[in-house]
Amino acid sequence: MGLIGAVLLIVGVATIVAAQYLITSHLTARAARAAQHTAAAYRHGAATGVLPARDGVALLQVVSTGRDPRVLAASAPLQGKAPLSHALPASGKDRVDTRSCGDPAWHSDCLNIVGYRTTVPGHGTVAVYGAVPGPWALGSPVPALTVAGLCIVVVVVAAGVTWRAVGRTLRPVAQLETAMSEITSTDLSRRMPVPDSPDEVARLAATLNATLDRLQRSGEQQRRFVADASHELRTPLTALRTRVELALSAPEETDPMETLRECLDDAERLHHVVEDMLALARLDAGVEPARIPLDLSRLVESELAQWSSRLPVSARVDPGVAVAGNRLQLARLLVNLLSNADRYAAGHVEVVVRPEGEEAVVEVCDDGPGIPSADRERVFQRFTRLDAARSRTAGGTGLGLTIARDIALAHGGSLHVADSLRGARLLLRLPLLRDADRLASPPSPDGSGSQAPSGAPRPVAAQSPQPTRSAACRPHGPGERS
């Protein structure tokens, strides 16, 4: 407000000065023209004792320049008046400009006077004066005081309006600040008050509430994950500790080799759980792995060649299906799908790789009990096991499908459970890479390439792919696209 007031004051003063200059210049020019015309007429003998008004100037005088100046001629308003001025042009000049204010003889405002020196036969050198009364405001402090007062009023009014408007605008912000200060990391259930007006503050409050919703869901998910992870780790640890305590307390009643094998199984389970949790932590951190063009068909064939399955595995792999991705992560995704299918299949597992439009499609199907429609999304949640797979000795860690979907999403794809005539049908879709110049070679079956993900079965020769497609990977309805 102070800056605005200073600017207004400067502008006001500049306006007054400019107006005074223009008005004074105009009045002086009128007086000068009238004095010049009067001097010319008087010099040629055309003027009489009463001078006529010229150019709208009614105050004209001809004054002698001797020791005792006297009025030789004057306009009607100046008859019998003293000389307008005794100022004479400087040596070498014919014109003089002066101003007369406060002379009680005139009972008027200030006069802008212009005088010319001329020579008149019979009178010698005389001075011809023309005068124009100036407006009272030119010599009065009223304009300056008025401008200053207006500046003060404008500043005060603007400050009041601004204070009121800013206060009304920031009041919801202060409420948001108060509400935000009451939110703690342990209680994210509170929400910001959203103003009724559809302005920026309302949008900010809505955005904060959406952010709090995401934070609350993330916090709840993290707490559930920690609780589930603690439970998953506690079970094998408890079993391991119990076996060791039994072996130590009653060595004659236990078989040392059997106890060691059971302890090794528990340690393997702990290893798998910890490894899967680390993989999820890396995926949750959003670390982008290096991606290269990959021949997905060759990668699937290579993993199947190293896969050790308890049941026959058939495959139909179309050649040249290329994607851009991280080979280790995609290999882990495939191993997790194969492990899930092998765990629940009754007698057969099938893998299909094909291009479909702009996508590369991988199907892993089994002929097991399948996944109910109500549980098709729940199986991708962390540490989720269906009722038929609650046994931790027969089931996995409960993180395999979660990791598989996170890898698919990180590669711009999707993973879901699709309809099938029998068993479960997991459908992976990845963006298809067209006209790939260079495709990365998958790991060789002899182990010269990168190793399979930790926790995968030991590699053995895979079963020969079948040329036909089994009923397990057929959709539920004819021509259905899941």
Side-chain angles (χ1 to χ4, degrees):
M1 289 297 104
L3 180 61
I4 296 177
V7 171
L8 289 176
L9 184 60
I10 293 174
V11 172
V13 171
T15 301
I16 292 176
V17 171
Q20 289 180 340
Y21 174 78
L22 292 176
I23 294 174
T24 301
S25 298
H26 176 70
L27 295 178
T28 302
R30 287 177 55 193
R33 288 194 302 270
Q36 282 182 324
H37 294 164
T38 301
Y42 195 83
R43 190 167 50 248
H44 293 88
T48 61
V50 179
L51 300 176
R54 298 179 183 273
D55 297 323
V57 178
L59 301 179
L60 297 170
Q61 274 186 345
V62 178
V63 181
S64 63
T65 58
R67 290 185 176 179
D68 185 17
R70 58 189 182 89
V71 178
L72 302 178
S75 58
L78 298 179
Q79 290 293 321
K81 300 289 185 182
L84 287 172
S85 175
H86 297 285
L88 297 175
S91 176
K93 295 184 178 181
D94 295 330
R95 173 176 170 171
V96 62
D97 293 78
T98 185
R99 184 178 175 85
S100 176
C101 295
D103 191 341
W106 308 116
H107 304 289
S108 64
D109 301 323
C110 294
L111 298 178
N112 296 303
I113 303 172
V114 178
Y116 283 92
R117 180 163 45 196
T118 185
T119 302
V120 178
H123 295 285
T125 301
V126 298
V128 181
Y129 296 104
V132 178
W136 67 270
L138 290 181
S140 173
V142 174
L145 294 177
T146 302
V147 170
L150 288 176
C151 291
I152 294 174
V153 171
V154 169
V155 170
V156 171
V157 172
V161 172
T162 303
W163 181 271
R164 185 177 181 84
V166 171
R168 180 180 301 175
T169 303
L170 295 182
R171 191 176 299 114
V173 178
Q175 295 175 354
L176 293 179
E177 180 185 5
T178 303
M180 284 293 294
S181 64
E182 296 174 354
I183 296 177
T184 62
S185 59
T186 57
D187 182 15
L188 296 175
S189 60
R190 301 201 53 171
R191 293 297 178 265
M192 303 295 102
V194 180
D196 296 332
S197 58
D199 54 9
E200 290 78 4
V201 178
R203 290 194 292 271
L204 174 61
T207 302
L208 288 175
N209 287 337
T211 302
L212 289 172
D213 289 339
R214 292 193 297 270
L215 288 175
Q216 185 178 14
R217 288 194 298 268
S218 176
E220 292 174 353
Q221 181 181 6
Q222 184 179 14
R223 285 191 290 270
R224 285 195 303 268
F225 178 75
V226 171
D228 292 339
S230 301
H231 185 66
E232 294 291 331
L233 293 173
R234 187 184 298 114
T235 300
L237 281 174
T238 302
L240 179 61
R241 180 173 179 175
T242 301
R243 292 187 177 97
V244 173
E245 288 177 348
L246 287 175
L248 291 176
S249 61
E252 66 282 354
E253 298 178 4
T254 58
D255 183 1
M257 297 305 297
E258 181 65 23
T259 301
L260 288 176
R261 281 192 293 269
E262 292 174 350
C263 290
L264 181 60
D265 291 340
D266 292 333
E268 282 291 329
R269 177 164 181 76
L270 282 172
H271 172 74
H272 294 164
V273 173
V274 171
E275 188 177 59
D276 286 345
M277 291 174 61
L278 289 176
L280 278 177
R282 286 192 292 269
L283 291 171
D284 290 342
V287 179
E288 288 289 339
R291 298 184 186 179
I292 56 176
L294 288 175
D295 190 332
L296 186 61
S297 303
R298 295 181 60 190
L299 176 62
V300 171
E301 291 173 346
S302 175
E303 292 301 323
L304 288 176
Q306 303 178 70
W307 175 250
S308 177
S309 174
R310 66 183 181 89
L311 298 173
V313 179
S314 64
R316 193 191 72 174
V317 180
D318 292 352
V321 180
V323 297
N326 181 271
R327 182 176 54 79
L328 291 178
Q329 287 193 354
L330 291 180
R332 184 187 186 100
L333 187 157
L334 180 62
V335 167
N336 288 355
L337 296 183
L338 290 173
S339 298
N340 181 79
D342 183 72
R343 183 175 299 115
Y344 304 118
H348 182 260
V349 175
E350 183 181 6
V351 179
V352 177
V353 180
R354 70 180 189 277
E356 186 175 295
E358 297 297 324
E359 295 177 322
V361 178
V362 178
E363 298 180 59
V364 178
C365 311
D366 63 72
D367 56 354
I371 302 175
S373 299
D375 296 323
R376 290 187 175 182
E377 282 300 315
R378 195 165 67 89
V379 296
F380 293 103
Q381 297 177 5
R382 301 178 181 189
F383 298 111
T384 297
R385 296 182 182 86
L386 302 184
D387 293 339
R390 284 291 180 181
S391 173
R392 287 176 171 79
T393 58
T397 63
L399 295 174
L401 292 183
T402 304
I403 294 174
R405 171 171 275 191
D406 287 350
I407 293 175
L409 294 177
H411 284 75
S414 63
L415 176 64
H416 65 278
V417 180
D419 293 332
S420 61
L421 292 177
R422 181 183 178 186
R425 175 173 168 239
L426 291 172
L427 192 63
L428 169 66
R429 294 184 180 275
L430 295 173
L432 190 64
L433 188 62
R434 297 290 188 180
D435 301 327
D437 297 331
R438 298 176 60 187
L439 295 178
S441 300
S444 58
D446 59 2
S448 59
S450 299
Q451 299 177 355
S454 301
R458 297 177 62 84
V460 297
Q463 290 83 352
S464 299
Q466 302 296 322
T468 60
R469 187 176 178 184
S470 72
C473 268
R474 291 178 185 170
H476 182 70
E480 177 185 2
R481 183 183 185 275
S482 299

